[in-house]
């Protein structure tokens, strides 16, 4: 299987990439890790006229941790976050999500930003980054805008990206207390997209009260979803079984899955409930050092 | 497009169409047929090579993206006519049958052992989970990798 | 750990595989690695519809693309009388569709160009105007009156391909009517695909000047392919050379001849240049030969104590648009009549109706002897249902009904003569290994806590080694196999066989067999397969037949050589032939072991100093026609735990005790078992080629056709008992497929065992978690 012919530019700078996009219009596509785009081109589902390769642009690599939060460059790869021990203290959910994506070889190429731009409704980063309250920076030659991820993700394989824009950075606010987060995924086998993916993230204050909560869902709607009612139910309380059960039930209601070969709507909803409950319980255990269980 | 890639330690140049996949650059342009193709959707890992020492599926990397990089394939595992401990261990433990997945498995395992010199069986299974094998049921592959790890530790120690 | 090739007396030892040396270095030579000067590439245009009339095909734009050399359509082939080809099952199959397409992804046109990428570009430019027709996807519907007739070329027009039956219907029905207990179950074995990691492909290299075709092809059966080609293309058989290079797995996929092959050959002949066609994974999964798709209804009877009384089976076999199964000619349902399994049924009856549907053609034996997986799955599932109904432990039910050792050779009610077996011993070994009694105890405790734990049993009997030529042929060609053996003057050996390995290790295991007979080491014996110009005729490697047939041929050929060697040894030792003893590595005069000669010394003499009057040389050729099939068997026990929240099944343990008779190389046997168990696991839990109601294939790639990785695959625990086959020269039975045949039922029975307290007796495979959840949810026990 071979892609249809196309042109190729390896951008030497972000401005060059933006200029090419502005000039070429919708026929031009950004190439990041290529782990979604190239398979589609090989199957000839996608036939872009020109690829603008940004995967080695120094300006987009790596991340920065500041007092406000974490900024991920657009070509940070899944495997980098999987191994980023330095991020575990404040952003434990990142590493625990990364390890579930695709397989180790795909993780070595694919990027977090590429995942968001691709907007597969079963993609894992959408759910995890919604749970972390992330926002994205979009740049074109003429403007820069910052959107909450919730506004960026629109529909199946559809985002707020304009054809001349590049997603240049992902920002995650710094937690206002001790963060705990984990990702649970039901996949049919390694390398499968999520049947159901659930990201849970809570931030506790010194008295073990939840001060921030994020719950993101993958595979159960036309795009990654947040479960705001469930999040709200957790805030202001300690992480305890009663509240956890309530949040789990509310999260299941937020899910809007379709019945397909991966399971019925009722099944997927139930898995959301089970996962939210299990995930939060695991975080509760983890937050009590005397128990010291890690997910 | 003109590209230059260091393959198994040798600088090689080629003129390729942008759509040429790295795996075909290796197989067809450079004649290194040890790297195989087993699928169209980036699932099987038969095409696994090391790109700047990182294992990747070479069917999902453009040859032009490898310009300026170094690539190692199964043909580069032997040094001075001596098998890599992974290669011997695969044979000793019957970790291959038809051999079609083997080059990819070896490259993925190479990367695992560089990062994790003493992997547990579960870690080996995880590290090889981008590589499908239809023949062996994986068990002897896992044993081979664990044994190679020990041999390498002894060689160093 | 492997022993070196220089190991003396190698039979039964874990000798390092010879094939490894090249394969671990990336120096295997698979089909796609071969590049011939001037070679062109072929790509196929395929139908997007499962059933449609072709109104018009326009190839102009494709043909005009620079670099394109040829575009072929069904019309072009029809003009040459090649629009159809015979299948191994005696049906015929369209090479390139003419008026109608009968399955999605059917071959419609072929494009030949300078490169593969260009060929694909051009294929995308071929315009085909289709008129969609209603598709027949459900095989039961295909048989209903008023269902569209798919194969208008057949006379009489019918969607029924064949009706086959075995056993005594009346006696079986009467016995069922008299039985205290009768359990009825409908069991589906869905369509799956062997999906070897290397897809299929070929290079056709035709020399117009000599009229010679060299055909490189990923083939499990090169000689059969040559004969079929001679029949299809009309090329004299001696002018065809089929070369099967290293094969990257086969599992049944590489037995048939595919339209792409014929198209490549026609193109090579037209263009007088080599033409390569290598299918993509999508093409592989959608068009080149699926397996199974058996829809089976079983009735099993027993008396109140659980002694089985009768077995009745009715099956609808979905063969797709063409019957492209590779079954022996007289067995359109393969060896399905092994369905009485390991149990002593007084009477039985089985019938199978083959049906056409708008799906890809096939019905190959996927890592099993023809239709044996289906049969084994059915009887082992039926025994589970019967045990549940009787309230008996499934192990106790089996022990009660096994064919006892003293009844062998055992004549089954459906007509087979089982060679040997000790089923009780095999099962007891497995129970001991897994700690059966303790597990049942643990299960009771877990059940009391509301947990779902299950223990599955499968005690299967396989039937392999087709086969005796009085019964088995493919298109008239008897299913013997062969070995030609030459001992060179220095005592080194070249052996050529009619089989073709694809990972089974023949280069090593057959060398071991021969070396053992000749007192040499495996290193001394070069085994060659896969080139029809040099190898003796044979039917190939599939259905676990290589060891029973070619392996036997190798042993017998070596024995013939040794007989001659003994006469030469007598001459060298200057004693009478009767006074020569063979100690396994040397000939010596009886009672004087110190004064011996080795095979190498004898070989030299065969060429330099043969006894007066003896023809020089030391060679033997054997065409081995087995007197019977062999019947490997095994006992598999599986433990599963089910997560009540996600309904995921975790296979906690799996113990497989196999009895494949004499073991040639235990390391290779164990590897075959691991691989087969993994396939069985995949079939039970993951793999299915499903279709929607329009006949669209829902698993056309590895995204949806779920091949397990190292992470999902359980850890296997293997063991064996050895009951040699009495009629095989070294007592071997063949093993490559037993685990795939025997294991699916063990997994399913374990899951059903876990769910049995909820009243569940059956679930269709693959056992996706959601199917289990629906049951738990309905019974109110889901988390
Ligand atoms: C076998 C397999 C299994 C997978 N399993 C999973 C899984 O389980 N979970 C999961 O989440 N993902 C999975 N993926 C997808 C994987 O995570 C991809 O890496 C990811 O979806 C895309 O990232 P990429 O960098 O490779 O993007 P590319 O393939 O390079 O690009 C994808 C799309 O995004 C656009 N794009 C990329 N980067 C930018 C940018 N910075 N700005 C604007 N547009 C951009 C491209 O133009 C293109 O349209 C799997 C992929 C494969 C091949
Ligand atoms: S060829 Fe299958 S992943 Fe590359
Ligand atoms: S050895 Fe055949 S695919 Fe792995």
């Amino acid at each position: 299987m071979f892609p249809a012919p196309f042109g190729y530019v390896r951008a030497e700078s972000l401005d060059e990439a933006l200029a090419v996009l502005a000039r070429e219009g919708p026929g031009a596509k950004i190439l990041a890790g290529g782990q979604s785009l190239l398979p589609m081109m090989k199957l000839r589902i996608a036939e872009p006229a020109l690829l603008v390769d940004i995967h080695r642009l120094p300006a987009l690599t790596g991340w920065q941790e500041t007092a406000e939060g974490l900024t991920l460059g657009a070509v940070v790869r899944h495997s980098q976050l999987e191994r980023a021990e330095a991020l575990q203290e404040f952003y434990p959910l990142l590493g625990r999500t990364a390890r579930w994506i695709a397989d180790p070889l795909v993780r070595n190429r694919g990027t977090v930003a590429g995942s968001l731009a691709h907007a597969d409704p079963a993609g894992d980063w959408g759910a995890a980054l919604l749970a972390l309250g992330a926002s994205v920076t979009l740049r074109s030659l003429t403007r820069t805008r910052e959107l909450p991820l919730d506004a960026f993700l629109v529909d199946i394989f559809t985002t707020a990206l304009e054809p001349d824009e590049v997603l240049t950075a992902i920002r995650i606010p710094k937690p206002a207390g001790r963060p705990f987060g984990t990702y649970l995924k039901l996949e049919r086998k390694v390398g499968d997209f999520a049947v159901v993916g659930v990201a849970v993230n809570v931030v506790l204050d010194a008295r073990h009260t939840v001060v921030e909560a994020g719950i993101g869902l993958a595979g159960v709607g036309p795009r990654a979803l947040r479960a705001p009612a469930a999040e709200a139910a957790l805030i202001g309380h300690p992480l305890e079984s009663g509240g956890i059960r309530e949040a789990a039930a509310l999260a299941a209601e937020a899910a809007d899955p379709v019945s397909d070969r991966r399971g019925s709507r009722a099944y997927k909803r139930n898995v959301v409930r089970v996962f939210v409950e299990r995930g939060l319980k695991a975080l509760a255990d983890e937050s009590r050092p005397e128990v010291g269980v890690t997910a | 497009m003109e590209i230059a890639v260091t393959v198994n330690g040798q600088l090689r140049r080629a003129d390729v169409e942008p759509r040429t996949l790295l795996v075909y650059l290796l197989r067809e342009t450079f004649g290194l047929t040890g790297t195989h193709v087993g699928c169209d959707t980036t699932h099987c890992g038969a095409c696994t090579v090391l790109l700047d020492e990182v294992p990747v599926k070479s069917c999902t990397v453009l040859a032009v993206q490898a310009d300026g990089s170094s690539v190692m394939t199964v043909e580069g595992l032997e040094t001075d006519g001596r098998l890599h401990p992974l290669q011997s261990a695969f044979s000793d433990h019957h970790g291959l049958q038809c051999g079609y997945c083997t080059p990819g498995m070896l490259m993925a395992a190479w990367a695992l052992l560089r990062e994790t010199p003493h992997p547990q069986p579960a870690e080996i299974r995880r590290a090889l989970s981008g590589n499908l094998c239809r023949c062996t049921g994986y068990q002897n592959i896992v044993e081979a990798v664990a044994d190679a790890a020990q041999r390498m530790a002894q060689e160093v120690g | 750990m492997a022993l070196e090739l220089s190991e003396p007396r190698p039979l039964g030892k874990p000798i390092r595989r010879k094939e490894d040396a090249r394969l671990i270095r990336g120096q295997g030579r698979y089909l796609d690695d071969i590049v011939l000067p001037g070679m062109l590439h072929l790509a196929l245009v395929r139908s997007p519809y499962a059933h449609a009339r072709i109104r018009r095909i326009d190839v102009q734009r494709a043909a005009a693309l620079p670099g394109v050399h040829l575009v072929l359509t069904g019309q072009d082939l029809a003009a040459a009388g090649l629009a159809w080809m015979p299948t191994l099952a005696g049906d015929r199959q369209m090479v390139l569709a003419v008026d109608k397409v009968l399955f999605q992804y059917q071959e419609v046109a072929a494009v030949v160009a300078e490169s593969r990428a260009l060929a694909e570009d051009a294929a995308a430019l071929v315009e085909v105007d289709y008129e969609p027709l209603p598709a027949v996807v459900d095989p039961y519907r295909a048989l209903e009156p008023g269902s569209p007739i798919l194969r208008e070329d057949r006379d009489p027009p019918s969607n029924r391909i064949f009706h086959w039956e075995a056993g005594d219907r009346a006696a079986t029905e009467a016995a069922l009517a008299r039985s205290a207990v009768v359990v009825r179950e409908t069991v589906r074995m869905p369509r799956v695909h062997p999906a070897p990691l290397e897809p299929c492909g070929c290079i056709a290299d035709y020399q117009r000047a000599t009229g010679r075709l060299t055909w490189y092809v990923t083939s499990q059966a090169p000689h059969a392919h040559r004969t079929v080609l001679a029949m299809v293309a009309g090329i004299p058989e001696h002018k065809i050379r089929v070369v099967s290079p290293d094969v990257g797995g086969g599992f049944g996929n590489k037995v048939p001849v595919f339209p792409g092959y014929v198209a490549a050959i026609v193109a090579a002949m037209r263009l007088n240049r080599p033409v390569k066609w290598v299918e993509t994974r999508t093409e592989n999964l959608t068009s080149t030969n699926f397996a199974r798709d058996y829809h089976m209804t079983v009735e099993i009877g027993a008396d109140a104590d659980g002694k089985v009384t009768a077995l009745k089976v009715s099956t609808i076999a979905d063969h797709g648009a063409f019957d492209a199964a590779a079954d022996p000619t007289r067995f359109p349902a393969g060896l399905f009549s092994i369905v009485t399994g390991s149990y002593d049924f007084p009477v039985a009856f089985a019938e199978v109706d083959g049906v056409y549907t708008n799906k890809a053609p096939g019905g190959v034996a996927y890592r099993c002897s023809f239709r044996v997986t289906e049969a084994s799955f059915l009887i082992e599932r039926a025994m589970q249902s019967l045990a549940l109904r009787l309230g008996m432990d499934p192990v106790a039910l089996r022990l009660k009904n096994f064919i006892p050792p003293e009844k062998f050779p055992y004549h089954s009610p459906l007509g087979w003569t089982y060679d040997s077996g000790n089923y009780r011993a095999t099962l007891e070994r497995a129970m001991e290994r897994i700690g059966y009694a303790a597990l049942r105890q643990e299960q009771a405790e877990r059940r009391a806590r509301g947990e779902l734990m299950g223990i599955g049993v499968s005690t299967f009997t396989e039937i392999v080694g087709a086969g005796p030529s009085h019964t088995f042929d493919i298109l008239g060609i008897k299913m013997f196999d062969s070995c030609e053996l030459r001992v060179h003057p220095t005592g080194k050996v070249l052996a050529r066989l009619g089989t073709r390995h694809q990972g089974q290790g023949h280069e090593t295991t057959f060398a071991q067999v021969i070396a053992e007979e000749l007192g040499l080491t495996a290193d001394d014996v070069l085994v060659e397969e896969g080139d029809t110009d040099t190898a003796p005729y044979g039917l190939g490697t599939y259905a676990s037949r290589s060891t029973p047939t070619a392996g036997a041929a190798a042993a017998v050929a070596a024995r013939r050589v040794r007989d001659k060697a003994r006469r030469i040894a007598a001459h060298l030792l200057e004693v009478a032939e009767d006074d020569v003893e063979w100690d396994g590595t040397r000939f010596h005069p009886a009672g004087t072991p110190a004064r011996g000669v080795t095979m190498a010394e004898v070989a030299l003499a065969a060429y330099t100093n043969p006894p007066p009057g003896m023809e020089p040389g030391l060679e033997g050729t054997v065409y081995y026609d087995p007197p019977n099939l062999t019947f490997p068997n095994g006992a598999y026990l599986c433990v599963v735990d089910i997560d009540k929240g996600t309904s995921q099944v975790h296979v906690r343990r799996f113990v497989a005790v196999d009895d494949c008779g004499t073991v040639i190389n235990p390391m290779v046997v164990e590897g075959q078992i691991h691989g087969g168990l993994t396939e069985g696991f995949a079939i039970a839990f993951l793999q299915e080629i499903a279709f929607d109601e329009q006949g669209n294939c829902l698993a056309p790639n590895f995204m949806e056709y779920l091949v397990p990785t190292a992470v999902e695959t359980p850890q296997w625990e293997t063991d064996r008992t050895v009951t040699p086959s009495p009629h095989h020269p070294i007592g071997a039975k063949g093993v490559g497929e037993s685990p795939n045949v025997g294991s699916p039922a063990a997994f399913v029975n374990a899951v059903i065992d876990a769910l049995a307290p909820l009243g569940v007796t059956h679930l269709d495979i693959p056992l996706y978690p959601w199917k289990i959840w629906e049951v738990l949810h309905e019974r109110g026990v889901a988390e």
Side-chain angles (χ1 to χ4, degrees), chain C residues 40-44 72 110-113 116 119 260 263-264 267 275-278:
Chain C
L40 300 172
H41 299 266
L42 183 140
L44 291 166
L72 283 173
V111 179
V112 182
R116 226 185 280 218
V275 173
K276 181 189 267 189
W277 174 65
V278 175

Side-chain angles (χ1 to χ4, degrees), chain A residues 2-119:
Chain A
F2 299 84
F6 56 84
Y8 173 85
V9 177
R10 187 202 288 168
E12 299 297 336
S13 68
L14 179 58
D15 285 340
E16 185 194 345
L18 296 175
V20 175
L21 287 185
R23 191 176 65 228
E24 299 289 327
K29 278 255 169 214
I30 293 291
L31 175 65
Q35 302 301 290
S36 291
L37 187 53
L38 294 178
M40 291 200 306
M41 289 170 64
K42 283 163 72 183
L43 297 172
R44 300 200 180 197
I45 296 167
E47 298 195 9
L50 179 72
L51 291 187
V52 185
D53 190 352
I54 60 167
H55 90 283
R56 286 201 284 202
L57 268 189
L60 301 180
T61 55
W63 55 79
Q64 278 182 315
E65 239 188 309
T66 65
E68 280 77 60
L70 175 69
T71 304
L72 301 175
V75 294
V76 169
R77 302 182 195 278
H78 311 312
S79 58
Q80 285 175 280
L81 292 185
E82 188 181 4
R83 290 168 173 76
E85 280 172 23
L87 296 180
Q88 269 172 23
E89 186 182 354
F90 291 114
Y91 309 97
L93 178 58
L94 293 178
R96 289 178 176 180
T97 304
R99 68 196 304 278
W100 278 106
I101 291 175
D103 61 53
L105 309 172
V106 171
R107 290 201 287 277
N108 282 337
R109 291 295 288 173
T111 65
V112 184
S115 265
L116 295 181
H118 187 56

Side-chain angles (χ1 to χ4, degrees), chain C residues 18 31 62 121 133 143 194 296 312-313 332 517 575 582 591 601 624 640 731:
Chain C
K18 295 185 162 197
L31 186 276
D121 292 346
L133 300 170
L143 288 180
M296 307 174 279
K312 181 172 178 231
V313 178
E517 297 291 342
V575 294
W582 169 248
E601 288 165 316
Y624 185 79
V640 300

Side-chain angles (χ1 to χ4, degrees), chain C residues 132-200:
Chain C
L133 300 170
V136 180
V137 180
D138 176 356
Y140 289 96
R141 235 207 87 208
L143 288 180
E144 284 169 10
S147 181
I149 297 295
L150 304 185
R151 289 287 300 278
E152 289 158 338
D153 60 300
R154 299 262 298 184
D155 186 31
S158 163
N159 291 335
R160 189 189 312 271
I161 310 170
F162 62 82
H163 173 84
W164 167 92
E165 52 183 62
D168 187 334
R169 182 197 294 265
T172 303
E173 286 174 354
L176 285 172
R178 285 193 306 270
S179 298
V181 180
V182 176
V183 177
R184 188 186 158 93
E185 203 80 72
T186 296
V187 175
R188 198 173 73 96
M189 242 197 157
R191 179 175 280 237
V192 289
H193 198 286
L197 200 57
E198 178 206 32
C200 302

Side-chain angles (χ1 to χ4, degrees), chain B residues 19 27-28 34 36 38 40 78 83 87 91-92 94 96-101 125 132 134-139, chain C residues 2 16-17 20 24 30 32-33 121 194-195 281-282 366 502 667 671 675 678-679 687 708 710 713 715-716:
Chain B
R19 64 164 153 172
R27 287 178 53 79
E28 293 179 356
H36 301 144
D40 326 323
E78 260 179 300
L83 290 177
Q87 291 173 301
S91 177
D92 292 344
H94 190 31
L96 67 154
Q97 291 181 22
C98 79
Y100 202 74
C101 69
R125 285 181 182 264
L132 299 179
R134 296 292 286 160
C135 302
T136 64
Y138 304 106
Q139 196 155 312
Chain C
R16 175 190 307 289
R17 293 197 330 159
D20 294 355
I24 54 175
Y30 301 91
D32 201 14
D33 301 342
D121 292 346
R281 178 58 59 191
T282 308
Y366 165 15
Q502 321 117 40
M667 182 184 79
T678 304
E679 286 307 290
Q687 291 175 181
T713 303
Q715 182 78 17
W716 309 116

Side-chain angles (χ1 to χ4, degrees), chain C residues 196-505:
Chain C
L197 200 57
E198 178 206 32
C200 302
C202 76
I203 304 169
D205 183 14
Y206 182 72
Q207 251 200 334
R208 204 171 280 162
T210 58
R212 193 139 213 258
L213 172 71
T214 305
W215 191 41
Y216 303 86
V217 60
T218 53
S219 173
Q220 294 176 232
H223 282 102
H225 277 170
R226 187 185 67 194
T227 303
V228 170
L229 252 192
M231 289 158 62
V232 176
I235 308 170
E237 196 166 355
H238 65 296
K239 296 206 166 180
I240 305 174
R241 174 181 172 209
V242 179
V243 181
S244 178
D246 279 326
V247 178
F251 315 120
N253 198 174
K254 293 170 180 170
V255 178
V257 171
F258 303 117
Y261 292 172
V262 179
I265 290 166
V266 171
M269 294 175 74
R270 296 243 170 125
L271 298 168
N272 204 25
R273 282 176 71 171
V275 173
K276 181 189 267 189
W277 174 65
V278 175
E279 66 178 2
T280 64
R281 178 58 59 191
T282 308
E283 291 181 294
N284 174 253
L285 291 173
T286 57
S287 66
T288 49
N289 272 38
F290 70 92
R292 325 269 193 254
D293 220 341
Y294 257 37
H295 305 252
M296 307 174 279
T297 302
V298 58
E299 285 170 85
I300 183 170
D303 65 22
D305 302 336
K307 191 96 189 126
V308 294
T309 51
L311 184 77
K312 181 172 178 231
V313 178
S314 295
T315 293
I316 300 292
D318 185 340
H319 281 252
F322 312 97
D323 186 3
D327 294 320
T329 300
R330 266 180 273 173
F331 296 86
L335 310 184
F336 186 70
S337 46
I338 191 72
V339 69
T340 53
S342 309
Y343 314 107
D344 194 4
F345 281 93
V347 286
F349 175 73
E351 60 183 342
V352 178
D353 286 282
V355 172
Y356 290 124
T357 59
N358 288 119
K359 294 183 213 155
V364 294
Y366 165 15
R367 209 171 179 143
C368 77
S369 195
F370 319 97
R371 301 300 189 183
V372 174
T373 308
E374 290 89 327
S376 166
F377 186 64
L378 184 67
I379 182 63
E380 291 304 317
R381 289 287 305 113
M383 289 298 279
Q384 168 88 352
S385 296
L386 181 61
L388 283 174
R389 173 73 64 85
L390 292 162
M392 260 177 101
D393 183 296
V395 158
L397 179 67
R398 284 169 169 84
L399 289 172
K400 188 172 202 106
N401 287 294
F402 277 150
I403 300 159
E406 62 274 13
K407 271 207 175 179
F408 289 91
Y410 170 79
H411 300 284
S412 85
L414 295 181
W416 300 111
T417 304
Y418 293 20
D419 58 349
S420 63
N422 188 346
Y423 300 154
R424 171 181 285 269
T426 310
L427 175 55
E428 283 173 350
R429 173 74 60 90
M431 291 168 69
E432 207 176 289
R433 272 294 296 261
I434 207 161
Y436 187 75
L439 281 170
R440 284 288 177 208
Q441 180 70 37
E442 179 193 339
Q443 183 185 39
E445 288 160 21
R446 285 185 187 272
R447 276 187 179 161
R449 294 200 294 271
E451 294 173 26
L452 300 176
M453 167 187 164
I455 305 164
V457 191
S458 171
T459 48
F460 62 94
T461 291
E462 241 223 305
I463 171 170
V464 307
S469 64
H470 51 80
T471 322
F472 292 97
D473 66 89
I474 287 186
L475 300 179
I477 301 164
K478 305 294 188 187
M479 295 188 72
F480 52 77
D481 232 289
S482 55
C483 175
E484 182 192 292
L485 207 150
R486 292 188 203 160
V487 185
H488 304 317
T490 55
K492 305 297 176 190
V493 179
L494 170 64
R496 289 171 164 151
L497 298 101
T499 41
R500 180 66 185 116
H501 65 93
Q502 321 117 40
Q504 295 90 339

